[in-house]
Amino acid sequence: MSLPPAGRGFNSRTVFSAAHIVADPFADTNPDAPAAVDWGATLAFRRHLWSHGLGVAEAMDTAQRGMGLDWAGAAELIRRSAAEARAVGGRIACGVGTDQITGGTLAEIRAAYEEQLALVEESGAQAILMASRALAATAKGPEDYLDVYGHLLRQAAEPVVLHWLGPMFDPALEGYWGSSDLDAATDTFLEVIAAHPDKVDGIKVSLLDAQREVDLRRRLPQGVRCYTGDDFNYPELIAGDEQGFSHALLGIFDPLGPLAAEAVRILDTGDTAGFRGLLDPTVELSRHLFQTPTRFYKTGVVFLAWLAGHQSHFTMVGGLQSARSLPHFARAYELADGLGLFPDPKLAEDRMKTLLALYGVNQ
């Protein structure tokens, strides 16, 4: 499928792609060392996304935040990507977390959040308040979440996106918002928003439960967006129903960038069937990449970027390229090729054959 770049944004939905980072394959490093990033290739991929009108969600889970990329690396990524966004006129929002600490008191967790929020705001990017492993480990109940998030929202210079990442993406976030009962957790989440609706641009929900997301977005205050992070059910959630729809902040839109952008442009015309017709066939690939253990989906995302020619190698920070099996890669290649995702199918085929040979497969 040939989809020409089109840098203009969209009319009907706000759409972010969470973007991966490209490792430096020549760095003399190891999985315990700080990430060695190929900055040229990493920023070039962001320009690719912006060229299709997509926003970039930076330094998020897809960029191996907390799985190879530490806070020092994330801070440099935010600075560089925000500067690049200003240079090309691209939309960017960046993750604000607490990963410079592993635990601590509520005051120390607030301070860690504040440090990251200040950097993101100084860079000129929108802030995404990410779920915190440290807070999940320290909080005694819902009141601690209300205290920490209330403190941050009161001092945020501009409206932020609140991020609810489920434990399927990060097991350390089990019981976030003070309860493993999702109904109770939802009530606390909504209480945070209701107390500061003018400081919340939207929420990003990654629970892989379409009905729960629909129910949640129907309870949001007027003007607060729901950004789907559901990589299993995104076409139906973005298309919406008679009572509303979700915007998008998705890791799967990293490999699907041009196709996803074209689908949303079709939706802009009011052609919901055309939008679904283009995007629905991609769900099988997405469910494959995000299969259990879901947190290793980044490996498939980077694998497809390599096959598509966006980078010259299949090396990941922390050695995460080893996190999926050869049969997983082979199926991802088949599904992506069937969708026409590779600009140069011959290059993708040759690279797939190289990988097979490295695994000892006789062709």
Side-chain angles (χ1 to χ4, degrees):
M1 179 183 296
S2 178
L3 298 172
R8 62 181 174 82
F10 312 110
N11 298 323
S12 61
R13 304 291 188 273
T14 300
V15 181
F16 290 96
S17 166
H20 75 280
I21 54 171
V22 183
D24 178 355
F26 305 115
D28 184 7
T29 187
N30 63 73
D32 295 326
V37 178
D38 181 336
W39 294 112
T42 293
L43 294 176
F45 188 77
R46 281 133 183 83
R47 291 193 296 272
H48 155 71
L49 295 172
W50 284 319
S51 77
H52 290 278
L54 297 162
V56 168
E58 188 56 277
M60 301 290 290
D61 187 54
T62 306
Q64 293 182 242
R65 190 82 179 264
M67 289 186 69
L69 185 70
D70 62 12
W71 167 236
E76 184 66 13
L77 178 62
I78 289 166
R79 292 188 192 99
R80 288 176 181 256
S81 291
E84 196 73 15
R86 290 194 300 273
V88 304
R91 183 165 187 166
I92 187 168
C94 299
V96 170
T98 63
D99 45 332
Q100 69 271 56
I101 62 174
T102 56
T105 64
L106 290 180
E108 289 168 333
I109 291 167
R110 284 197 303 268
Y113 263 129
E114 288 169 346
E115 177 189 355
Q116 297 199 16
L117 178 61
L119 185 144
V120 169
E121 291 185 338
E122 288 166 6
S123 77
Q126 183 178 16
I128 303 171
L129 294 186
M130 301 170 66
S132 163
R133 291 175 178 173
L135 182 55
T138 300
K140 302 303 183 185
E143 64 282 352
D144 288 339
Y145 289 89
L146 294 170
D147 175 68
V148 170
Y149 278 91
H151 183 87
L152 294 168
L153 289 172
R154 281 191 295 272
Q155 65 180 277
E158 300 291 341
V160 307
V161 176
L162 295 180
H163 186 195
W164 186 357
L165 192 69
M168 68 287 294
F169 288 94
D170 187 344
L173 299 177
E174 178 67 42
Y176 211 73
W177 303 111
S179 178
S180 294
D181 180 327
L182 289 180
D183 291 336
T186 298
D187 288 342
T188 302
F189 188 43
L190 288 168
E191 188 174 346
V192 170
I193 299 164
H196 307 277
D198 58 322
K199 290 297 187 73
V200 180
D201 164 70
I203 62 168
K204 194 262 190 180
V205 186
S206 299
L207 298 176
L208 303 183
D209 183 333
Q211 189 57 54
R212 182 167 293 278
E213 179 175 322
V214 170
D215 292 343
L216 175 56
R217 79 185 182 204
R218 289 175 179 172
R219 296 174 65 187
L220 292 175
Q222 185 70 28
V224 175
R225 297 182 176 96
C226 179
Y227 294 94
T228 188
D230 187 333
D231 300 277
F232 284 4
N233 304 291
Y234 50 94
E236 65 186 81
L237 290 165
I238 298 170
D241 55 30
E242 66 283 353
Q243 297 185 51
F245 55 82
S246 295
H247 299 270
L249 198 166
L250 288 160
I252 192 57
F253 279 8
D254 178 304
L256 292 183
L259 190 152
E262 180 64 16
V264 177
R265 293 190 204 289
I266 291 172
L267 186 60
D268 280 349
T269 69
D271 183 1
T272 302
F275 166 81
R276 294 292 300 268
L278 191 57
L279 212 55
D280 280 0
T282 69
V283 171
E284 185 178 4
L285 171 64
S286 189
R287 286 177 174 254
H288 177 73
L289 296 182
F290 285 78
Q291 68 185 224
T292 304
T294 302
R295 63 188 181 278
F296 294 130
Y297 77 87
K298 298 94 161 171
T299 301
V301 165
V302 175
F303 170 66
L304 293 181
W306 173 55
L307 293 186
H310 293 298
Q311 54 196 82
S312 61
H313 61 86
F314 179 35
T315 301
M316 298 177 67
V317 300
L320 203 66
Q321 67 272 12
S322 65
R324 294 295 200 189
S325 68
L326 183 62
H328 180 89
F329 293 136
R331 184 57 180 157
Y333 166 73
E334 291 173 349
L335 291 170
D337 187 51
L339 293 168
L341 294 186
F342 301 131
D344 184 343
K346 182 62 166 60
L347 174 67
E349 179 184 353
D350 289 346
R351 289 184 169 182
M352 188 67 216
K353 287 180 177 178
T354 297
L355 185 68
L356 290 169
L358 287 173
Y359 275 79
V361 177
N362 294 319
Q363 301 171 39

